[in-house]
């Protein structure tokens, strides 16, 4: 009979390796392990190990657990939210399973559980498994599958990878379940992004991780950290390179063919649809920019890894580099070469990688196979020639260049992004955001912080600038606003998870016009979620949209320019539904707005009566300013800068740029016959006045009162302004026909109508 079994990597037996582990832990990793030794004396604990990106969290934890758990026949449950993280953890345990680490066991069994076809299912979990590496959603949906595996255990190690996500409801559910089944549950969270002590009293993270090490002693309630080291310290020790961020704008637009399905693939799966990917790969101007950028700075960039969009892109770039006499190779994973029709073998890839490692090859172009696992310490630069919405993938891509001199790497790491024009909003990850909590730790001057903050803002402004260039979009109201008011004063920065495990990094820009509204919104989120009965981790989109509409009608009223974006509120709601805390706010206090004063530049040109040639030379000198280049950082593309300057010049010239010749006499409609939302689009301040008056009339003894059931609250957020006589029954939008109702009464009235 034919053998019906196939080999899989989702489970197996790991035998102890002979010989000695060649990888020696760095000093900070030794200290982290020593502190874990100390806290492990407590029978049951929950603690964090905080190492920055590139600090070796997985290596440190797996090495320690091999000695302290696997070797002592204690079970380990490792939880993460992405398949990539699960595979990385399994590989680390396998790679470092030397006899010197596990002298008392000859072998141990492992199993990886997730929704992926490459992994096992929860039904496959066996009580004999020593190491269980699971996705949080797979186990969260079938948590009872752990019961037989946990049965009879007196002590277990529970590791939460990317532990800053562990306040999400599914993580908390799994943690609580394990603690209820095993008397001594030892929880170790791994993260590069801990809570800050200033947030301790309000952060859920500090309520999960309760135990730490202080002055060489384990302490219950010591802000939950066993070991922590910052990015600046690892850079000073030369273990990590100092990241230097650069951005180049491609002038290419990839928005014509994007439909809802395409947006869904990108946003939820991090997959660029094939037709758009090929359009990007075939862009001659885009590819030329990538090659010319390296050619101009090759002495600075040195050995460089380029992350390409697809195989066609890798092959095309490779040829262009070789045409410039720059040594380049491309490596791909088990994919047929679309140019030659020949499959690139593993042996060929290894030869090319070795050529790069030895320095014979300067450029190594790859499609998603050098994100982790391959040791290439002399990589000084990464070119991000493909965008991603995944913070995990972005972390692994930039990590290729972060090996410091003391670790056989380089002093500086150049992270070079190539940014396209996507008119559709897509939350691409900005690599600099991965260091946002650490930025003040490794930037040494206000000038550096200013450049950092400017880069963060610049990506958020691309969409706004593109709209102003697009003549089909009416941006006259925005253009009237003084330019300095269009510079954000800060941002909410956070990340949240999709139900499929995709992690999204978000930056919600806040302006003078929207600051107060956001502050009020954040205060009332707890009450609002209770009012709408939302307690699940992933609420239906329809419910979130209803909450967002309620927030808009309560806080984002009147004229706000720049306006708020509903998608930003929806992202904040998704974050809050998972973590039950508001995101952190960062102030852009290092930016010197005067250096972006386009009106002052325009006034100088106007007063000097510059002709076309002199004006062009002057603007070019500003754009190419070598001191801080803030204009280039902020606008990204010269065409955006020119357009803003022309708008300001036209204002000075007293040209009526906001009114075309009026040759049409339109009909009229009275405001009283329009809904509040419709009025808000035309006269936002009047809508605000009407709503405020309705609430004022309903107030009694400091409480707002539902006109129907009498429900009371000191907060407006749970009420809605309603027409007593509906518009479709002849009612008018006038103060005497407006009342406030609680959500329940308003829904009942709507149903009855």
């Amino acid at each position: 009979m034919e053998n019906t079994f196939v080999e899989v990597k989702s489970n197996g037996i790991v035998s102890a390796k002979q010989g000695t582990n060649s990888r020696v832990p760095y000093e900070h990793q030794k200290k982290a392990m020593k502190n874990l030794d100390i806290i492990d004396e407590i029978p049951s604990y929950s603690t964090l190990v905080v190492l920055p990106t590139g600090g070796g969290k997985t290596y440190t934890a797996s090495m320690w657990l091999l000695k302290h758990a696997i070797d002592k026949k204690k079970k380990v449950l490792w939880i993460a939210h992405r398949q990539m993280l699960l595979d990385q953890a399994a590989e680390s345990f396998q790679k470092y399973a030397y006899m010197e680490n596990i002298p008392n066991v000859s072998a141990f069994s492992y199993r990886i559980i997730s929704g992926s076809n490459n992994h096992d299912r929860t039904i496959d979990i066996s009580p004999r498994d020593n190491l269980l590496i699971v996705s949080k959603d797979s186990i969260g949906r079938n948590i009872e599958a752990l019961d037989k595996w946990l049965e009879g255990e007196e002590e277990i190690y529970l590791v939460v990878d990317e532990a800053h996500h562990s306040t999400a409801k599914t993580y908390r559910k799994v943690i609580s379940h394990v603690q209820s089944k095993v008397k001594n549950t030892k929880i170790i969270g791994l993260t590069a992004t801990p809570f800050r002590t200033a947030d301790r009293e309000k952060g859920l993270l500090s309520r999960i991780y309760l135990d730490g090490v202080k002055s060489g002693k384990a302490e219950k309630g010591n802000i939950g950290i066993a070991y922590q080291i910052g990015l600046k310290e690892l850079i000073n020790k030369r273990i990590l390179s100092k990241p230097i961020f650069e951005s180049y704008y491609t002038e290419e637009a990839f928005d014509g063919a994007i439909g809802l399905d395409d947006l869904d693939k990108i946003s939820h799966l991090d997959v660029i649809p094939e037709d758009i990917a090929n359009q990007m790969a075939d862009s001659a101007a885009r590819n030329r920019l990538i090659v010319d950028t390296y050619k101009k700075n090759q002495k600075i960039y040195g050995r460089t890894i380029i992350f390409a969009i697809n195989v066609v892109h890798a092959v095309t770039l490779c040829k262009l580099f070789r045409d410039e006499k720059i040594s380049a190779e491309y490596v791909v994973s088990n994919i047929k070469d679309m140019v030659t029709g020949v499959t690139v073998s593993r042996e060929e890839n290894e030869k090319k990688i070795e050529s790069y490692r030895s320095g014979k090859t300067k450029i190594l172009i790859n499609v998603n196979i050098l994100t982790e696992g391959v040791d290439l310490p002399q990589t000084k630069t990464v070119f991000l020639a493909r965008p991603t919405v995944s913070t995990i993938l972005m972390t692994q891509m930039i990590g290729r260049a972060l090996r410091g001199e003391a670790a056989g790497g380089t002093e500086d790491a150049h992270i070079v992004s190539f940014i396209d024009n996507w008119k559709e909003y897509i939350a691409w990850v900005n690599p600099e955001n991965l260091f946002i909590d650490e930025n003040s730790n490794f930037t040494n001057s206000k000038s550096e912080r200013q450049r950092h903050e400017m880069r963060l803002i610049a990506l958020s402004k691309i969409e706004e600038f593109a709209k102003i260039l697009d003549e089909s979009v009416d941006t006259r109201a925005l253009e009237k606003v003084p330019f300095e008011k269009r510079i954000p004063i800060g941002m909410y920065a956070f990340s949240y998870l999709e139900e499929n495990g995709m992690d999204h990094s978000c930056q919600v820009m806040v302006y003078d016009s929207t600051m107060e509204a956001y502050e009020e919104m954040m205060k009332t989120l707890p009450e609002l979620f209770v009012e709408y009965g939302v307690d699940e981790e992933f609420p239906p989109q329809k419910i979130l949209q209803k909450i967002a509409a309620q927030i808009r009608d309560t806080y984002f009223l009147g004229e706000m320019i720049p306006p708020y974006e509903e998608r930003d509120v929806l992202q904040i709601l998704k974050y809050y539904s998972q973590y039950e805390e508001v995101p952190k706010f960062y102030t852009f206090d290092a930016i010197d707005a005067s250096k972006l004063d386009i009106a002052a530049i325009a006034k100088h040109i106007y007063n000097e009566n510059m002709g076309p040639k002199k004006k062009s030379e002057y603007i070019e000198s500003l754009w190419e300013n070598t001191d801080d280049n803030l204009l280039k950082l902020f606008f990204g593309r010269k065409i955006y800068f020119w357009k803003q300057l022309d708008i300001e010049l036209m204002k000075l010239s007293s040209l009526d740029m906001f009114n075309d010749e009026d040759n049409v006499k339109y009909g009229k409609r009275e405001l009283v016959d329009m809904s509040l939302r419709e009025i808000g689009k035309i006269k936002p301040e009047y809508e605000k006045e009407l709503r405020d008056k309705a609430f004022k009339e309903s107030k009694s003894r400091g409480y707002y009162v539902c006109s129907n059931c009498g429900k009371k609250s000191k907060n407006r957020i749970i009420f809605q302004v309603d027409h007593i006589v509906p518009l479709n029954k002849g009612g008018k939008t006038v103060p005497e026909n407006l009342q406030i109702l609680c959500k329940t009464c308003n829904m009942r009235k709507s149903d009855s109508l």
Side-chain angles (χ1 to χ4, degrees), residues 287-304:
N287 292 336
R288 175 47 55 190
L289 175 65
I290 293 168
V291 173
D292 287 349
T293 298
Y294 181 84
K295 185 179 177 182
K296 186 169 66 175
N297 301 291
Q298 57 184 308
K299 288 184 179 179
I300 296 171
Y301 291 155
R303 269 176 263 182
T304 298

Side-chain angles (χ1 to χ4, degrees), residues 104 133 148 172 176 219 315 431 496 724:
N104 297 311
I133 302 173
K148 286 189 176 179
R172 284 185 275 146
S176 295
E219 289 189 1
V315 173
Y496 68 89
I724 298 170

Side-chain angles (χ1 to χ4, degrees), residues 632-690:
K632 188 180 286 188
L633 274 176
F634 186 76
F635 288 101
R637 302 172 70 198
K638 192 185 295 184
I639 192 171
Y640 293 155
F641 175 49
W642 270 94
K643 180 65 176 178
Q644 299 301 322
L645 201 53
D646 283 343
I647 289 169
E648 296 300 324
L649 285 167
M650 292 177 79
K651 289 179 185 177
L652 290 170
S653 301
S654 300
L655 293 175
D656 190 0
M657 61 176 291
F658 302 109
N659 293 297
D660 295 325
E661 184 180 353
D662 188 4
N663 64 335
V664 178
K665 189 173 182 179
Y666 295 102
K668 294 182 179 179
R669 186 180 176 196
E670 288 192 66
L671 291 177
V672 296
D673 293 322
M674 300 170 69
S675 70
L676 286 164
R677 281 290 186 95
E678 289 171 325
I679 291 172
K681 292 176 183 177
I682 303 163
K683 295 199 169 195
E685 291 300 327
Y686 185 51
E687 180 203 10
K688 183 177 186 301
E689 181 184 325
L690 287 169

Side-chain angles (χ1 to χ4, degrees), residues 556-574:
F556 292 94
L557 297 171
E559 190 169 60
M560 292 183 173
I561 303 175
Y564 92 108
E565 295 283 351
E566 184 187 46
R567 65 176 180 236
D568 290 338
V569 170
L570 286 169
Q571 287 177 334
I572 290 170
L573 293 178
K574 288 180 179 180

Side-chain angles (χ1 to χ4, degrees), residues 361-427:
T361 299
K362 298 297 182 188
I363 302 284
L364 194 57
I365 308 161
N366 84 104
V367 184
N368 282 350
I369 72 166
L370 294 180
T371 51
E372 46 92 15
V374 181
D375 190 30
L376 301 169
Q378 282 299 311
T379 299
K380 191 175 183 181
T381 303
V382 291
F383 272 23
L384 304 172
R386 66 143 291 176
T388 180
V389 298
S390 169
T391 56
I392 298 296
L393 180 58
M394 179 61 77
T395 298
Q396 293 185 324
M397 288 195 294
I398 67 175
R400 305 311 308 170
L402 288 178
R403 183 80 72 84
E405 288 179 297
T410 59
E411 181 180 359
D412 297 326
H414 295 269
I415 315 298
V416 184
S417 300
F418 293 90
I419 299 168
D420 308 300
N421 180 11
W422 298 78
K423 290 182 183 176
E424 291 287 351
Y425 176 76
I426 299 171

